[in-house]
Amino acid sequence: MTTQNHSAGAPSHESVTWHSIDWAACHREVRRLQARIVKATREGKHGRVKALQWILTHSFSGKALAVRRVTENQGKRTPGVDGVTWSTPEAKSQAIQLLTRRGYRPLPLKRIYIPKSNGKLRPLGIPTMKDRAMQALYLLALEPVAETTGDLNSYGFRPSRSTADAIEQCFALLAKKDRAKWIFEADIKGCFDNINHDWLVESVSTDSVVLRKWLKAGYLESNALYPTEAGTPQGGIISPTLANLTLDGLEPMLLRRYVKKNWNKQKVNIVRYADDFIITGATKAVLENEVRPMVEEFLAARGLMLSPEKTKITHIDDGFDFLGMNVRKYEGKLLIKPSKKNVSAFLGKVREFVKSNKALRQDKLIKALNPMLRGWANYHRHVVARRTFERVRMEIWRCLWQWARRRHPNKGAQWVRKKYFQTDGFRAWVFAIDTGEWLSNGKPKLVALRDICDTKIRRHRKIKADANPFDPQWETYFEQRLGFKLKDSLHGRKKLIRLWMEQGGRCPVCSQPLTETSGWHVHHLVRRIDGGPDINSNLIMVHPNCHNQIHVNGLKVVKPVRESGL
């Protein structure tokens, strides 16, 4: 394989072939610079941080990784106002040369609307591919700073953190008898739409000239150009990090006030996921008369305010909803369950899909429903959800029974059952279709609807509060967490788990971790057309882009040796 060797410390003006880029070298160079940014941030050397950020944002490695990110994520086929997408290797190669600061001027955003859970519409601003790539490039330099200075108990839109971490922190703060009894449920009114631009430009550690251009780009709606005087648009790659940086500092402010000599008498603590947060307190009075005014003053400096209608103070015995979960104490015992609102919304989504696909083939309906069921069950598998899963399973069965009966109004119930429902082992009434093939154990091969109750309830391991994914000293810790997470996601797929472990959890082409987010392809070392078997010794897991490189460049990949400790 011929690779392009460019220094991370200098810009490249040479043409490059997309499939000849040495991605392992790009990742190494960017990670090295990010680690140096973390060290400089921690030491308070702001000038050094700026210099390192400049090097990263002008480097070939940073630009290549930025283009790769925007051409491999979910929005890769969604154009901006210019109608351009980068779908070919040639377009991606040329795009790297376009990411220059000199003369850069972002185009207006394309305004679209998506439905919210309350029936209202959420505005999204879609940047052009070039603007997305520029944001991804500058985010590579900003995230190490954000992760080093961010609030310890902020979990939204941060690498390696999740809603499960936030919910586990709620359990830690509220479970015991001597913990806080009152909860301040905060709701910021239009957080993304109202952040003060001047505050962002002055406070965020990034190129202020480029940042101001993004903030003032405006948006197009119905062929009319509208200015943006406040806020950071939902839809931009860098927007969630900007929103997090806006709210960072809220937790330290509260702890400075209420923690004295490691004792928090008023039990004031915060758990935040993006712009959703709750604050605990020993009494209703301390939350109403002290905490709320402090929060309002903090937000006002950033152009934000609390929503009077949605912000409230609740007793733990009455419970509260947070991130799709209901947190409540029953006779002194804290139980966290899927919220009724979340369950109702999910069942409504399933019913609507089934109802709108009356003529769909059964196997296609099953394949469309299974990812929905898997995703929702996995989201709730860390809480007390067994009874909820059983109820959801019954409601989905009823929905599918109606779907089947509606297709054959002149047939009896027994006929419909035999056509659409099978017996699988000890289970009857399994919504499945016989493929006509046979398994090695002599049983018919079925395409079956996922049983949501097969999802095992497992306690989530909360991330350590001070863990930083850009700090080399935490490298082993995050590799272990990635391993646990991927094993959970591949539960029941022993062959893939074994492959992943044999490779040390990394792609043998670019040496980067194989995760749920990155995705993967299973590659045959000896092609099947050449007689290569489907056995582990002939298989490797690689990233989708690395898989393209193997085939385009005719690379010979060697089976990696399993590392010790994995």
Side-chain angles (χ1 to χ4, degrees), residues 14 67 243 531:
E14 303 171 10
V67 172

Side-chain angles (χ1 to χ4, degrees), residues 329-395:
K329 275 191 174 179
Y330 299 81
E331 298 180 357
K333 183 176 182 179
L334 184 73
L335 296 180
I336 303 178
K337 306 177 181 179
S339 70
K340 292 181 179 179
K341 183 178 179 181
N342 184 276
V343 173
S344 178
F346 174 68
L347 287 174
K349 179 181 176 181
V350 172
R351 291 183 184 119
E352 180 61 29
F353 181 83
V354 173
K355 188 176 179 181
S356 61
N357 288 278
K358 298 175 183 177
L360 195 65
R361 273 174 28 196
Q362 185 184 8
D363 60 331
K364 291 188 178 295
L365 181 65
I366 291 171
K367 289 178 181 179
L369 288 176
N370 275 344
M372 295 167 61
L373 299 177
R374 184 185 301 113
W376 187 83
N378 286 343
Y379 184 81
H380 294 285
R381 66 181 170 177
H382 305 300
V383 300
V384 184
R386 177 58 57 195
R387 290 187 179 179
T388 304
F389 285 176
E390 291 172 354
R391 183 200 152 203
V392 168
R393 176 175 64 178
M394 179 56 66
E395 291 297 325

Side-chain angles (χ1 to χ4, degrees), residues 503-532:
Q503 299 175 198
R506 292 182 176 272
C507 170
V509 177
C510 69
S511 303
Q512 294 305 301
L514 289 157
T515 67
E516 276 186 295
T517 305
S518 71
W520 62 81
H521 280 307
V522 176
H523 173 71
H524 289 73
L525 297 175
V526 178
R527 298 185 306 172
R528 282 178 291 182
I529 195 172
D530 295 330

Side-chain angles (χ1 to χ4, degrees), residues 152-156 160-174 270-274 276-278 320 322-323 325 327 336 379 383 460-463 481:
L152 295 180
N153 288 296
S154 163
Y155 300 98
S160 303
R161 283 167 166 77
S162 66
T163 54
D165 292 310
I167 293 299
E168 192 63 26
Q169 180 64 11
C170 289
F171 184 87
L173 292 176
L174 299 167
I270 183 172
V271 181
R272 179 166 67 85
Y273 188 90
D276 292 330
F277 62 92
I278 59 107
F320 64 95
F322 186 52
L323 303 176
M325 311 292 180
V327 184
I336 303 178
Y379 184 81
V383 300
H460 177 72
R461 307 183 190 194
K462 192 184 85 69
I463 191 170
R481 284 187 64 84

Side-chain angles (χ1 to χ4, degrees), residues 465-483:
D466 56 344
N468 187 336
F470 300 101
D471 190 337
Q473 69 177 341
W474 290 97
E475 187 78 21
T476 303
Y477 173 76
F478 281 105
E479 285 184 350
Q480 290 174 346
R481 284 187 64 84
L482 278 175

